[in-house]
Amino acid sequence: MKKFLAILLALTFCVTCFAACGDGNEGTTAAGDETTAAPTEVVYGDKTFDKIKVGTGGTTGTYYAFAGASTQAITTDTYGFEVVSTGGSQANIEGIDDGDYHMATVQNDVMNYAYNGTNGFTSPIKTFSAVACIYPEVCQLIATEASGIKTVADLRGKNVAIGDAGSGVFYNATQILAAAGLDYETDINATFASFGDSATALKDGAIDAAFITAGTPTTAITELATATNVVAVDLGDDVIAKLMNDFPFYTKYEMTSADYGFITESVNTVAIMATYVVTNEMSEAQVYEITKNLWENEDVATCHAKAAQMDINTTVNGIGDVPLHPGALKYYVEKGIVEAAADETTVAAEETTVAAE
């Protein structure tokens, strides 16, 4: 992976020089790990923010809790953070594009949709870049025990919450349903709802099941299980295999009693990666400091249960087509995570043009 990134970075520099002489037309990248991209112009600024607004998710989800804990740990004397509850990944990226947020936690699948202008994004958004993939987010299908739901196919005709409209959960839910041969518009009674609202609806019997994508244990589910008998639904080998074949950002994940006490036998599902992204307006120096503190501040390692799953050696593996911010790239080069000469990094940042990944 390191060698691949090093080669790609070198190609980036060559593409930059070519683009400077060309007409500047943008092209979209191909999906998957073997990415080949037309020249893509990404302009970086040099702004330093005293208060960094961070888009997260619902207040009962892991995004909100993790962002609050980790940003508190890396607050400095010169800048702080304001964590904002939002509708999730798509809302966060659009918020960065609109200037509402400076930083956000997003799913790595949704950020790639945004960068390429697919799946809910009418055109590519190039105003953000990646800082770090931080922990796996588990695609959880939770049903009431009374519903009798034991497989994805059992959702047919049921009342099912599929996340906020346009959220990462929504795309995970619809992709899982499609892999099982179900259409969310015709085969289930779909409800758009946040983590907290989904949990409340399950407890009240208003819905039979809910899709939730978040780090485990998710507060909304943990609290729900204290009041209602619920089950985690196994997606099944066929559905998982199709998902991983059609969407390379999915990985297999096994849920156990370590995730939730109500799980007595392992439950197979899939996961994607939660990722910190920032506005391209933020200076290289500030993003470098944020990235360094995320990995080197001892308080981050103990700030939240999900911090134990952070791994600097694999943090750039899941970013796909989205470029690293020059500040983050500079840090990873220094740490040997990305192999590239320091002067190449500087040139790429100064030219303000990077290729995918």
Side-chain angles (χ1 to χ4, degrees), residues 266-305:
S266 61
V267 175
N268 294 312
T269 184
V270 291
I272 42 85
M273 292 298 294
T275 307
Y276 266 138
V277 298
V278 291
T279 173
N280 290 341
E281 292 185 342
M282 193 178 295
S283 71
E284 179 179 336
Q286 188 166 39
V287 176
Y288 174 87
E289 185 175 0
I290 289 171
T291 308
K292 181 177 181 177
N293 287 339
L294 274 174
W295 295 109
E296 298 185 13
N297 188 309
E298 294 180 356
D299 291 336
V300 174
T302 58
C303 73
H304 189 278

Side-chain angles (χ1 to χ4, degrees), residues 226-301:
T226 64
T228 306
N229 292 328
V230 294
V231 297
V233 179
D234 193 302
L235 299 191
D237 291 340
D238 291 345
V239 170
I240 291 173
K242 182 168 177 54
L243 284 168
M244 292 177 64
N245 179 70
D246 293 347
F247 306 100
F249 43 73
Y250 283 119
T251 58
K252 189 173 182 179
Y253 186 92
E254 183 179 348
M255 295 174 64
T256 68
S257 58
D259 295 287
Y260 297 106
F262 61 82
I263 296 179
T264 56
E265 297 182 0
S266 61
V267 175
N268 294 312
T269 184
V270 291
I272 42 85
M273 292 298 294
T275 307
Y276 266 138
V277 298
V278 291
T279 173
N280 290 341
E281 292 185 342
M282 193 178 295
S283 71
E284 179 179 336
Q286 188 166 39
V287 176
Y288 174 87
E289 185 175 0
I290 289 171
T291 308
K292 181 177 181 177
N293 287 339
L294 274 174
W295 295 109
E296 298 185 13
N297 188 309
E298 294 180 356
D299 291 336
V300 174

